[in-house]
Amino acid sequence: MTTPLTLDALRTQVAEGTTDTVLVCGVDMQGRLMGKRFHAANFLEHSHAETHCCTYLLATDLEMATPEGYSSASWSKGYGDYVLRPDLSTLRPVPWLEGTAMVLCDICEHDGETPVAHSPRAVLKKQVARLEAMGLTAMMATELEFFLFEKSFEEIRRTGFRDLTPISGYNEDYHIFQTTKEEHVMRPLRNGLHTMGIPVENTKGEAETGQEELNIRYAPALDCADHHSIAKHAVKEIAWQHGHAASFLPKWAADKVGSSSHVHQSLWSDGENAFRDPSDDLGMSDLMRHYMAGLIAYAPDYTYFLAPYINSYKRFAKGTFAPTKTVWSVDNRTAGFRLCGAGTKGVRVECRIGGSDLNPYLAQAALLAAGMKGIEDKLTLAPATTGDVYDAGDAESIPANLAEARTRMMGSEMLKDAMGEEVITHYARAAEWEIEEFDRAVTDWEIARGFERA
Ligand code: ADP
């Protein structure tokens, strides 16, 4: 990928008066863009080198709470600052906002150089570096699924999130007519991302009313995660500009299909797909088999990083295209892992476990860690499962809920060795806090069930 915007080009745009604002963003534990809106003159003078953010940004939840229990940030530690260091290779225009550019940052300790170990970009960079030491590059694609709603976020919030009418009245999977009706959102989305240098492949209707999919061409893992987080932000912002809400909640209605984020993966060396072996029946190299064996063996260990909230686990339901079993299958959408492009130079594995709420940095880091462990230990790939994998009785299941996934993550020596114990402890606290908060909530379900009959 060429850099879409250099500092010099930005300087020219600012002098000409076409750009006046730069969004300086870190990525938080939830995968959101968090930062400050700089006047472009200040960015060019000072803040292109560094700015600061409060340490609680990497020790909070979707609500911006300040839970105890993190060793990195707390009231007793005074919630000081991290350094936000712009990665100038990510400087881009934001075509749907007037006069605006953006840059992503690495989040560093006070010295301005040491990456904060649990910051999502650093977590992924660590696994990418391990892979580089093995002479390999991860080429990844994370699909983005989401729902578009008729009303805006503000209107929906005012109704207590009850007036949830999807933008279409029927399952619009691959539909061209229905998606024409959504082009006021989807066309500026595709075009805006393309102008930013994000290689959009397509958008399509997905398999539920109002459900959309956005596909971005595969790229090296860090670029892929950057593309994903910018694209997710773009979806919400452009939908909002047109008076609609876009939601990445994996399961917003029990009787509707959920939203996922499938992760396509291949490892390359010397510019070639190292997963390919034309002499193999399915075109898979030994490297690919070991990698996939690692993905499968450790799937319960890292499910947390693919499904980080209470709601994430509601998606894993039979007959919904979301998997329930951690086995692989050849071009079969009922399995946790699908072999795609068998026999071609695009041979790759698609992990179907991840929900639309995953953090793309953490998810890819966890998948790469498991795959690398499979390669290191030369794990053997079991034969493919065939048929309707939902009924594959003896196959291992995906953890049933957040508590189970958290327990598996905390017990994973593989993850601790690959990511560092402090990183696992940090995210285990995030999962625990999510469970604690949910346990404090009184839900609609409890009221409907017990109000009269308890
Ligand atoms: P699906 O039918 O599952 O929606 P798509 O064909 O829409 O699949 O998406 C396939 C994704 O896989 C695309 O984002 C594409 O860029 C990506 N892809 C293609 N080849 C490779 C590869 N060798 N490694 C990783 N990802 C790849």
Side-chain angles (χ1 to χ4, degrees):
M1 285 290 300
T2 50
T3 308
L5 192 57
T6 61
L7 213 50
D8 280 345
L10 177 67
R11 202 166 273 118
T12 307
Q13 291 178 4
V14 173
E16 288 169 349
T18 52
T19 300
D20 52 57
T21 298
V22 182
L23 312 180
V24 178
C25 309
V27 177
D28 73 1
M29 293 159 70
Q30 292 73 23
R32 301 175 294 188
L33 303 188
M34 294 296 207
K36 306 177 186 173
R37 310 180 101 93
F38 277 89
H39 194 284
N42 179 285
F43 181 78
L44 287 170
E45 203 177 335
H46 299 293
S47 42
H48 67 275
E50 70 172 57
T51 180
H52 304 94
C53 71
C54 177
T55 55
Y56 101 115
L57 278 189
L58 291 179
T60 186
D61 62 4
L62 287 165
E63 298 279 10
M64 313 304 290
T66 49
E68 293 293 341
Y70 288 109
S71 62
S72 57
S74 60
W75 293 115
S76 57
K77 282 191 129 184
Y79 283 121
D81 264 353
Y82 288 138
V83 173
L84 280 176
R85 182 167 300 294
D87 174 346
L88 293 177
S89 73
T90 68
L91 188 61
R92 295 179 160 93
V94 184
W96 59 92
L97 297 179
E98 206 180 334
T100 302
M102 71 174 299
V103 71
L104 296 179
C105 299
D106 290 311
I107 306 181
C108 300
E109 303 285 0
H110 254 229
D111 63 12
E113 279 171 15
T114 312
V116 175
H118 55 275
S119 76
R121 245 178 154 242
V123 171
L124 179 54
K125 279 185 167 184
K126 183 167 178 175
Q127 300 314 308
V128 167
R130 289 184 61 216
L131 207 54
E132 268 169 17
M134 296 165 81
L136 295 165
T137 304
M139 294 301 250
M140 313 287 267
T142 49
E143 300 173 15
L144 289 100
E145 289 181 1
F146 54 95
F147 280 80
L148 273 183
F149 293 90
E150 273 182 8
K151 298 219 165 120
S152 67
F153 287 120
E154 289 74 13
E155 289 167 302
I156 290 172
R157 187 178 304 112
R158 275 196 293 274
T159 68
F161 300 94
R162 279 166 203 281
D163 190 2
L164 292 172
T165 309
I167 200 166
S168 71
Y170 50 82
N171 176 334
E172 59 181 283
D173 203 15
Y174 295 96
H175 282 229
I176 295 299
F177 177 45
Q178 174 55 40
T179 51
T180 295
K181 297 188 228 166
E182 297 151 8
E183 276 293 82
H184 58 296
V185 175
M186 303 308 281
R187 183 166 174 245
L189 173 66
R190 290 190 306 273
N191 290 343
L193 294 175
H194 177 82
T195 304
M196 300 176 95
I198 294 179
V200 175
E201 289 184 339
N202 56 60
T203 58
K204 65 179 276 292
E206 257 298 326
E208 191 47 273
T209 54
Q211 196 177 25
E212 318 289 332
E213 180 179 88
L214 166 64
N215 287 302
I216 298 171
R217 189 179 156 79
Y218 64 93
L222 186 66
D223 290 341
C224 169
D226 287 349
H227 295 163
H228 182 116
S229 34
I230 294 169
K232 184 172 175 183
H233 182 83
V235 166
K236 291 187 184 180
E237 220 158 64
I238 294 172
W240 171 80
Q241 285 179 330
H242 291 85
H244 299 293
S247 179
F248 287 81
L249 188 68
K251 192 85 173 177
W252 64 272
D255 58 351
K256 291 192 187 293
V257 162
S259 292
S260 57
S261 180
H262 303 150
V263 185
H264 290 255
Q265 306 158 60
S266 59
L267 298 184
W268 292 47
S269 66
D270 300 325
E272 304 262 339
N273 185 352
F275 274 4
R276 185 175 195 218
D277 179 355
S279 68
D280 178 80
D281 277 0
L282 293 167
M284 299 162 74
S285 65
D286 287 346
L287 183 85
M288 180 172 195
R289 288 181 185 273
H290 296 319
Y291 181 89
M292 280 177 67
L295 288 187
I296 291 168
Y298 295 105
D301 290 33
Y302 62 73
T303 294
Y304 167 73
F305 289 112
L306 299 173
Y309 303 108
I310 299 285
N311 181 261
S312 316
Y313 294 80
K314 308 282 165 79
R315 196 186 122 245
F316 302 124
K318 194 177 162 170
T320 64
F321 289 106
T324 55
K325 304 282 186 187
T326 63
V327 294
W328 75 285
S329 205
V330 180
D331 193 16
N332 178 332
R333 288 190 166 83
T334 64
F337 299 90
R338 177 168 73 119
L339 176 69
C340 297
T344 72
K345 64 180 174 26
V347 65
R348 61 192 183 273
V349 56
E350 175 195 46
C351 172
R352 298 178 59 81
I353 300 172
S356 47
D357 54 350
L358 59 66
N359 178 322
Y361 301 86
L362 302 176
Q364 291 188 66
L367 290 164
L368 291 172
M372 275 187 276
K373 181 73 173 153
I375 294 170
E376 280 167 2
D377 293 352
K378 294 201 173 4
L379 295 185
T380 304
L381 183 65
T385 305
T386 53
D388 181 350
V389 176
Y390 290 118
D391 287 333
D394 51 348
E396 182 154 21
S397 294
I398 292 165
N401 52 44
L402 184 57
E404 192 183 325
R406 175 177 179 270
T407 303
R408 294 297 297 254
M409 168 174 66
M410 286 195 311
S412 176
E413 293 307 317
M414 181 281 291
L415 285 176
K416 286 181 201 161
D417 287 348
M419 293 185 172
E421 182 143 13
E422 63 172 298
V423 171
I424 297 306
T425 306
H426 187 86
Y427 285 97
R429 175 62 188 137
E432 182 183 49
W433 171 251
E434 205 64 21
I435 295 164
E436 288 168 2
E437 284 287 82
F438 184 68
D439 286 348
R440 279 188 277 270
V442 177
T443 66
D444 288 355
W445 181 86
E446 292 159 274
I447 294 171
R449 201 167 170 98
F451 187 83
E452 180 177 335
R453 293 168 288 173

